[in-house]
Amino acid sequence: MAESVLNTPDLKDLEEEELWDLINDNRHAISLGVRPCVLIPYLRQARVLTDLDEDEILTCLNFTNRGMKTSHMIDLLRVQGHNGAMALLESLMIHYPALYTRITGRQPSIEPSGFSGLINYTELTEYLVRAVSSMQTELHVARHEAARLQARCCELQGKLEQAQQNNKELSQMQGEHARLRSHLDGLNRELLKLKDEKCDLYVRYTTALEEKSATIVRNRDLQLEISQLQHELKKAQKETDFKRRRSLKNPSETQKLKDELNAVRAKLLETEMLFPVQQDILAHDLKEVENRSSELAEEVSRLSEENIRLQQEKEELLEEKDCLALEVEKLTVDCEMYQHRSTLFHNQLEEVQAERDKAYLSRDEAQAQIARSLAEKDVLRGQLMELQARVFAMKACSKQRERREKSMDRKFSCDISRGLCSEFPPSSPPSRRQLCRSNAILPESFNSFDACEFNDEAICSISSNQVEPPCSESLRRQDFPSRSDMEDIYTSQDSLNFDHDYVFISKGDSFDESKSPASLPCSTSRRSPNDSVSRASAPPFLMRSRPQALRITGRVLTVFFQGEIILNEIQVIGGNKTGVFVHDVTEGSSAHNTGVSPGSQILQLKYEREQRAVRMVLEDTTMEEALWALGQVQGPCHITLRPSQDAYENLLQQLKNGEVMSGDSFYIRVNMTMQEDVAGSLAVKCNDIVHVTDTHHSIDGSWWASHVHPCHLEDLKSGTLPNYYRAQRLLIRALEDMTYPRKAQRKMRKTLSHEKQRAARIVITGQQSRNPLWVSVEDNNTTAQDSDGCVPSRCVTLMPYTLVSPRFPPICRPVLLLPTLLGRVLHKRLAEQDGYQICEPELLMASEHAIQMQKGEILEECDSKTHLCYTLQGVEKIMKRGTHCVLPLGLDCVRRLHRAEIFPIIIYIMCSERSLRKLRHKLRQNVLTESQVLECSCSEEPLLDKLPCLYQSIPPESWHDRATLIDTLKTVVTEEQQNIVWVESDTW
């Protein structure tokens, strides 16, 4: 090796390319093992590097590590050619002799002949003396550090022994803990067994109490029945006695009549035994008597009649008396019965009160026990929280200790390098202005937007004003957490917390990125939590300190700016499907100065109106609603934005390609018939489903909409449609025309009388101050007024359109036939067809009935006493078989089925007297008349408009008997099964 070194020419004799080949072959080792701050003083002495080169190498932010700085220094020396290579090799020979030997294959030498002559002898000698002194200092520091590390190692050895001892104690404690844990598990198992036994006893006790209560109730019922039978028996005895007394009066009257009859017979026998003379005399007397008797007979007849009348009145009065006496006796018996029953009820009430008092006492005891348990639980929870806080504090202290130890180690190595560089500073020209590093403010430096303080000292402390290179502990690592900690902080914060990305800039100051960080104006006041839009003084607006450094997509930011009319400063595009985006910002406006840029999605508006704070959420609003909401802002406001450049560019591309008309997309059900009045308008009928794709199609307030295919979500014929308020006025006009028709309309009605087309469907909702189709939220109840009057200040209850959403039932849908009375005639016949089955009621237990009634699973009750009901489970069983369930129910079951995501096929059979004659025989079999069916049809037809879904009507002329009606029903069910189900949301 020595011979090869002697044979090789001197480094000064080598060509430039040969020297740089040696350096480039070992460039990687030089970049990794050399610190530029050590070599730069010699290179400055050799005049191959200038002060600007030094500043560029040491302070440029593009060079994030030592290797990049060293590599850039080599590139700058390459420009100097042969001198640069020789200066680099000589500096390596002085400071890194091992690396010098590795590159050149020569041993380092400090002889003056070994240098290239770039530095004169005197300066070289001074530099070498300083280098030797610095090496001796480094050696001394290294020995001191070795002694310190030895002491540290001994200390750590003692700690290790203590930790091993603690580990042994911990293992013993873990064994004891495992034993206690197993013992605790055994006790828990026994406790669970005891709890199970206790639950069984409770169940048995409850069953016994229920049986006892049932027995008591049955005993009371039997006692009441016995008392009632006893009183009925007493009543019967009273009536029997009364009849017996009346029957005893009849024999006495019969005996009197017999005695009178015998007396008359005796007189007749005496008259037959008289002589003839006496007979003549008697005959003469008889004539006189007859004459007189005629008068007396008349008098007697009159008196007898009067007697008979009086006798009848007497008998009636006697009978009435007897009846009244009987009623009195009955009332007396009833009174006694009620007194006895009231006594029983009073006794039972006393028993119930005693049981109630006992239950209250047990409840109070249970509540006291629960209170004691809760108090114990709170105490234990407090102890647990204290233990957790201690654990967290210990963990934090351990982490801080580890970080402190690591930072001390890093700081020690960095201090050594800094000490070496500062102890032997290179000779340099007079002092000049040093380069300053620009601000690098991290989001974590600000705790929150609502509670934070900023001052000049805090911000200036972040800047670096020194030229010397950063060591392993850079500015970011000294003042702020690491990257992993940053990610933990971001993930722990709410996605809507945007305040960390901004600094407060006063409204009057403009932001200039070229200014130094110290000139940045900051607010020194805290923001109170009660601040809102209604404050008298406008809060400062938000400005990015470094937009490129702090660009975090997907986060939300709120900007405050002072403007007159916001729509004069920004233009928006989008809709409820894509979101509303800022499309253009007027240059020089307050919105532009605040930082609003195209591509940001508008989420929320906050502004002040009539001394009230108003908040509107625009995240899912239509374009029409967003323009109306932005038009309300006439002054200072807070606007919440979300940077969403990808979605914005996607929307622009779709608009450019003509794939969409705007960002709007929703479906409505039309509640009125509108003809095609002008070219390009869309003719719609009542109950048509329309897909709205642009709510701001024209200035006159028109939407762009399309008819929807009944089986697929495909747009058919398209055209303009009046917006909600124009359609509302048209609906009111149509109702007025229907109420007070004009002559022209009467003629038109006569000409179109053969076309049976529905004009309107009346749908009402609660009075609202906004469009019911809009979804933005206003915190206050202030009335909204538009300057041009296109949006009324108060929305009436009539709804020309209602929002609907599509549903796709995967299995066979149930079938509901209306009118209900006519459905009774057709249910069994339809259920006999293939693919149909009628829903049968189920007999439920009392407990099952209560549970299903609470869950809303009972569709209709047949008998409340026996709990015979139609349930959702019965309908679902039939549907799972792939069969249409025929529902013998009314309209009340529709909403219950919808809540269970079951959408029945509702078929309304339109009835007339002529059509019902065809089913007269079947109606009579079901004990129904035609008038009853017509009355049921008239009462149920208005209720169909209140259903949240569409229904199918069958006109009376489409069938002529029961068989054709069943075939028509099957055809309608097949068609409806393939169609999309459109369901309205609740309008109240």
Side-chain angles (χ1 to χ4, degrees):
M1 180 67 186
E3 295 177 0
S4 63
V5 173
L6 293 174
N7 295 330
T8 56
D10 193 5
L11 293 178
K12 293 182 289 185
D13 300 333
L14 294 178
E15 296 294 333
E16 177 183 348
E17 294 299 330
E18 294 177 355
L19 291 174
W20 281 108
D21 288 341
L22 291 174
I23 295 173
N24 290 331
D25 291 342
N26 297 274
R27 187 186 184 100
H28 181 67
I30 296 173
S31 299
L32 294 180
V34 173
R35 287 187 296 177
C37 61
V38 177
L39 302 183
I40 285 177
Y42 182 82
L43 299 176
R44 289 283 305 278
Q45 290 286 344
R47 294 175 179 81
V48 293
L49 287 181
T50 64
D51 54 352
L52 294 178
D53 296 335
E54 179 184 359
D55 290 339
E56 183 178 359
I57 293 170
L58 297 179
T59 62
C60 184
L61 297 178
N62 294 329
F63 307 138
T64 57
N65 53 47
R66 190 175 63 187
M68 296 176 65
K69 296 177 186 294
T70 306
S71 181
H72 183 64
M73 181 185 70
I74 295 173
D75 293 337
L76 293 177
L77 294 175
R78 183 69 175 85
V79 177
Q80 299 296 329
H82 186 274
N83 293 339
M86 289 302 299
L88 177 61
L89 292 175
E90 290 172 359
S91 63
L92 292 176
M93 180 179 64
I94 297 172
H95 296 285
Y96 298 96
L99 185 59
Y100 174 79
T101 304
R102 178 180 175 182
I103 296 173
T104 61
R106 298 171 179 272
Q107 292 298 326
S109 175
I110 58 173
E111 294 294 331
S113 60
F115 291 89
S116 59
L118 296 175
I119 305 177
N120 57 30
Y121 181 77
T122 305
E123 293 177 352
L124 179 61
T125 303
E126 292 177 358
Y127 185 81
L128 291 176
V129 170
R130 286 197 302 270
V132 171
S133 300
S134 65
M135 289 180 183
Q136 290 177 354
T137 304
E138 289 180 1
L139 179 61
H140 177 70
V141 171
R143 289 176 179 174
H144 180 71
E145 180 65 18
R148 190 185 66 82
L149 292 177
Q150 185 67 25
R152 179 65 177 169
C153 182
C154 295
E155 182 183 353
L156 293 176
Q157 187 68 27
K159 290 183 179 180
L160 178 61
E161 293 176 357
Q162 184 66 27
Q164 290 177 353
Q165 184 66 23
N166 293 338
N167 189 15
K168 291 181 181 179
E169 294 177 359
L170 180 61
S171 61
Q172 294 177 359
M173 293 177 65
Q174 286 179 350
E176 183 67 18
H177 178 266
R179 186 183 65 79
L180 293 176
R181 188 72 179 178
S182 61
H183 182 63
L184 180 61
D185 293 338
L187 293 178
N188 285 332
R189 286 193 294 271
E190 294 180 1
L191 180 62
L192 291 176
K193 290 181 182 179
L194 293 176
K195 285 184 178 180
D196 293 338
E197 294 177 359
K198 184 180 179 181
C199 291
D200 295 336
L201 290 176
Y202 274 144
V203 170
R204 292 168 59 187
Y205 179 69
T206 306
T207 306
L209 288 178
E210 291 178 354
E211 293 177 355
K212 179 182 177 182
S213 61
T215 306
I216 291 172
V217 172
R218 182 61 179 166
N219 187 17
R220 291 172 182 172
D221 294 340
L222 292 176
Q223 287 180 357
L224 290 176
E225 291 179 1
I226 291 171
S227 61
Q228 190 173 359
L229 291 175
Q230 288 177 354
H231 292 300
E232 289 179 358
L233 179 61
K234 288 181 180 180
K235 286 184 181 181
Q237 289 177 354
K238 295 289 184 183
E239 292 179 358
T240 305
D241 294 340
F242 175 72
K243 291 181 180 178
R244 185 182 294 113
R245 286 197 299 270
R246 293 192 64 181
S247 63
L248 291 176
K249 293 179 181 180
N250 294 330
S252 61
E253 294 177 357
T254 305
Q255 187 65 30
K256 288 180 181 179
L257 293 175
K258 287 181 179 180
D259 294 341
E260 290 178 359
L261 182 59
N262 293 331
V264 172
R265 287 178 180 176
K267 288 181 180 181
L268 287 176
L269 290 175
E270 289 178 1
T271 56
E272 288 178 357
M273 294 175 63
L274 293 177
F275 296 103
V277 179
Q278 294 177 346
Q279 291 179 354
D280 293 335
I281 295 170
L282 290 171
H284 180 71
D285 294 336
L286 180 62
K287 288 180 182 179
E288 292 179 356
V289 170
E290 286 178 354
N291 293 330
R292 222 182 322 166
S293 63
S294 59
E295 296 176 0
L296 294 174
E298 292 177 357
E299 184 69 20
V300 169
S301 62
R302 184 179 62 77
L303 293 174
S304 62
E305 290 177 357
E306 186 176 357
N307 187 19
I308 290 170
R309 182 177 61 78
L310 294 174
Q311 190 68 25
Q312 288 178 353
E313 290 180 358
K314 179 182 178 182
E315 290 178 355
E316 290 177 357
L317 291 173
L318 290 174
E319 289 180 356
E320 186 175 357
K321 175 187 174 184
D322 295 337
C323 291
L324 291 174
L326 181 61
E327 291 293 332
V328 169
E329 291 177 356
K330 288 182 178 180
L331 292 174
T332 304
V333 173
D334 292 340
C335 183
E336 293 176 356
M337 181 185 67
Y338 288 131
Q339 286 179 353
H340 180 65
R341 188 174 295 178
S342 65
T343 304
L344 291 177
F345 286 158
H346 184 70
N347 295 333
Q348 293 175 3
L349 183 61
E350 290 179 352
E351 293 176 0
V352 171
Q353 288 177 351
E355 293 178 357
R356 182 199 63 187
D357 296 337
K358 191 182 297 182
Y360 282 161
L361 290 175
S362 61
R363 184 198 64 182
D364 295 338
E365 292 177 358
Q367 288 180 350
Q369 182 66 26
I370 291 171
R372 288 193 295 270
S373 300
L374 290 176
E376 294 176 358
K377 185 178 180 181
D378 292 337
V379 173
L380 294 175
R381 185 182 288 113
Q383 295 176 0
L384 179 61
M385 294 297 293
E386 292 177 359
L387 292 175
Q388 287 180 349
R390 291 175 60 186
V391 170
F392 292 153
M394 293 174 66
K395 288 183 178 179
C397 290
S398 64
K399 288 184 178 179
Q400 278 186 346
R401 191 180 299 110
E402 292 176 359
R403 290 181 181 176
R404 196 179 300 114
E405 291 175 357
K406 292 180 181 179
S407 63
M408 288 176 63
D409 296 339
R410 295 174 182 173
K411 189 175 182 181
F412 178 75
S413 60
C414 182
D415 290 341
I416 293 174
S417 61
R418 288 184 179 179
L420 292 176
C421 295
S422 61
E423 185 174 357
F424 301 102
S427 59
S428 58
S431 61
R432 56 179 177 80
R433 183 183 177 184
Q434 296 178 339
L435 297 177
C436 295
R437 182 172 299 184
S438 60
N439 255 7
I441 302 175
L442 289 179
E444 297 87 329
S445 61
F446 312 114
N447 293 330
S448 66
F449 177 73
D450 293 330
C452 63
E453 281 189 352
F454 300 103
N455 50 41
D456 296 337
E457 183 180 356
I459 293 180
C460 293
S461 64
I462 301 173
S463 303
S464 175
N465 297 322
Q466 296 180 357
V467 183
E468 63 181 58
C471 61
S472 59
E473 292 297 316
S474 64
L475 291 176
R476 292 177 181 267
R477 293 171 184 165
Q478 289 175 4
D479 296 332
F480 305 108
S482 61
R483 184 177 181 86
S484 60
D485 296 335
M486 290 167 54
E487 294 175 354
D488 295 337
I489 292 172
Y490 282 130
T491 55
S492 64
Q493 292 174 344
D494 189 23
S495 61
L496 292 177
N497 188 6
F498 49 86
D499 305 318
H500 298 301
D501 293 339
Y502 299 90
V503 258
F504 282 95
I505 309 297
S506 301
K507 186 180 72 173
D509 299 322
S510 60
F511 182 75
D512 188 1
E513 293 182 355
S514 63
K515 292 183 179 181
S516 63
S519 64
L520 184 65
C522 301
S523 174
T524 59
S525 63
R526 289 184 179 267
R527 181 179 176 183
S528 63
N530 298 325
D531 286 349
S532 62
V533 185
S534 60
R535 293 191 308 176
S537 61
F541 59 86
L542 296 173
M543 192 73 176
R544 283 187 181 273
S545 59
R546 290 185 64 188
Q548 299 299 326
L550 294 180
R551 183 178 181 182
I552 302 172
T553 59
R555 304 192 67 195
V556 177
L557 55 99
T558 296
V559 176
F560 174 83
F561 63 91
Q562 178 79 26
E564 295 299 329
I565 300 177
I566 193 172
L567 287 179
N568 293 341
E569 301 182 3
I570 64 173
Q571 295 180 6
V572 295
I573 60 172
N576 67 308
K577 183 179 180 181
T578 60
V580 180
F581 296 93
V582 178
H583 180 55
D584 189 18
V585 182
T586 304
E587 187 140 356
S589 61
S590 58
H592 181 268
N593 296 332
T594 305
V596 179
S597 60
S600 300
Q601 183 182 357
I602 303 176
L603 302 181
Q604 183 177 277
L605 282 176
K606 287 184 180 179
Y607 61 94
E608 185 179 2
R609 183 176 62 195
E610 297 180 0
Q611 297 182 354
R612 293 185 180 181
V614 181
R615 180 174 64 92
M616 292 189 178
V617 180
L618 306 182
E619 188 171 2
D620 299 322
T621 59
T622 61
M623 188 63 181
E624 180 186 35
E625 182 182 1
L627 291 174
W628 175 81
L630 293 171
Q632 303 300 306
V633 181
Q634 297 182 359
C637 72
H638 284 80
I639 180 170
T640 303
L641 305 172
R642 177 193 291 147
S644 184
Q645 196 68 25
D646 295 339
Y648 171 68
E649 292 176 357
N650 187 20
L651 176 60
L652 288 180
Q653 188 66 28
Q654 291 179 354
L655 292 173
K656 182 178 179 180
N657 298 337
E659 299 177 7
V660 295
M661 299 287 294
S662 70
D664 293 320
S665 178
F666 58 93
Y667 297 91
I668 59 173
R669 178 180 177 182
V670 183
N671 298 326
M672 59 184 298
T673 299
M674 290 181 284
Q675 304 294 334
E676 187 176 354
D677 51 356
V678 295
S681 61
L682 186 65
V684 292
K685 299 178 182 178
C686 186
N687 291 327
D688 279 355
I689 303 297
V690 175
H691 183 202
V692 180
T693 55
D694 188 3
T695 58
H696 193 63
H697 183 67
S698 60
I699 305 177
D700 60 349
S702 296
W703 293 348
W704 184 262
S706 307
H707 286 288
V708 183
H709 194 279
C711 301
H712 309 286
L713 289 178
E714 297 179 359
D715 294 345
L716 302 178
K717 184 179 179 182
S718 302
T720 59
L721 196 69
N723 66 357
Y724 184 85
Y725 294 106
R726 284 185 57 202
Q728 197 174 60
R729 290 193 289 267
L730 293 176
L731 177 58
I732 295 173
R733 188 181 304 168
L735 294 177
E736 291 176 352
D737 294 341
M738 293 169 62
T739 308
Y740 307 104
R742 303 182 183 89
K743 293 183 180 180
Q745 291 176 348
R746 290 175 184 173
K747 294 180 180 178
M748 186 181 298
R749 187 175 298 177
K750 290 180 181 180
T751 57
L752 300 176
S753 59
H754 64 281
E755 297 182 3
K756 296 182 179 180
Q757 181 177 343
R758 189 164 187 175
R761 168 177 173 256
I762 306 300
V763 180
I764 60 175
T765 183
Q767 266 196 335
Q768 300 176 357
S769 61
R770 300 178 298 106
N771 187 334
L773 300 185
W774 288 359
V775 297
S776 65
V777 180
E778 296 186 16
D779 284 349
N780 60 346
N781 295 325
T782 56
T783 58
Q785 296 179 357
D786 193 24
S787 58
D788 57 358
C790 65
V791 181
S793 61
R794 191 72 176 172
C795 175
V796 298
T797 54
L798 292 175
M799 297 181 65
Y801 308 130
T802 49
L803 285 172
V804 292
S805 56
R807 297 288 191 277
F808 303 92
I811 54 179
C812 294
R813 298 165 56 189
V815 179
L816 180 63
L817 301 181
L818 298 173
T820 309
L821 295 181
L822 186 57
R824 296 179 187 174
V825 181
L826 303 173
H827 285 155
K828 294 184 179 179
R829 182 64 182 274
L830 181 61
E832 294 174 357
Q833 308 297 319
D834 293 336
Y836 295 87
Q837 182 179 348
I838 194 168
C839 182
E840 299 293 343
E842 300 179 11
L843 186 61
L844 303 176
M845 301 295 291
S847 59
E848 295 178 354
H849 179 269
I851 293 173
Q852 294 195 14
M853 180 65 74
Q854 185 177 6
K855 293 181 179 180
E857 296 178 353
I858 294 179
L859 300 177
E860 189 174 314
E861 287 187 341
C862 299
D863 189 359
S864 59
K865 296 181 180 180
T866 59
H867 302 309
L868 189 65
C869 310
Y870 292 95
T871 62
L872 281 174
Q873 288 80 1
V875 178
E876 291 175 350
K877 288 179 184 177
I878 298 175
M879 292 171 61
K880 289 178 180 177
R881 301 172 190 164
T883 305
H884 291 284
C885 179
V886 181
L887 301 173
L889 307 175
L891 287 173
D892 296 336
C893 70
V894 176
R895 295 186 184 273
R896 298 189 183 98
L897 291 170
H898 280 197
R899 282 194 290 269
E901 293 297 323
I902 299 176
F903 305 98
I905 299 174
I906 304 173
I907 303 176
Y908 175 69
I909 305 172
M910 304 174 68
C911 301
S912 62
E913 295 181 357
R914 183 177 179 182
S915 63
L916 290 178
R917 290 176 194 157
K918 306 171 186 177
L919 302 174
R920 182 178 298 174
H921 179 66
K922 296 298 180 183
L923 292 176
R924 290 178 180 176
Q925 288 181 357
N926 290 270
V927 196
L928 295 173
T929 61
E930 300 173 8
S931 60
Q932 290 177 345
V933 177
L934 287 174
E935 183 179 357
C936 178
S937 176
C938 294
S939 62
E940 290 183 350
E941 186 176 6
L943 301 177
L944 293 171
D945 289 338
K946 298 181 179 180
L947 294 177
C949 60
L950 299 175
Y951 63 92
Q952 188 68 29
S953 299
I954 297 179
E957 60 270 8
S958 62
W959 55 278
H960 57 274
D961 58 2
R962 186 182 179 187
T964 55
L965 179 57
I966 294 297
D967 295 338
T968 306
L969 288 175
K970 291 172 63 178
T971 304
V972 172
V973 170
T974 304
E975 293 175 354
E976 287 295 317
Q977 181 64 38
Q978 299 175 356
N979 293 345
I980 301 173
V981 181
W982 297 96
V983 182
E984 293 179 351
S985 58
D986 195 358
T987 57
W988 290 93

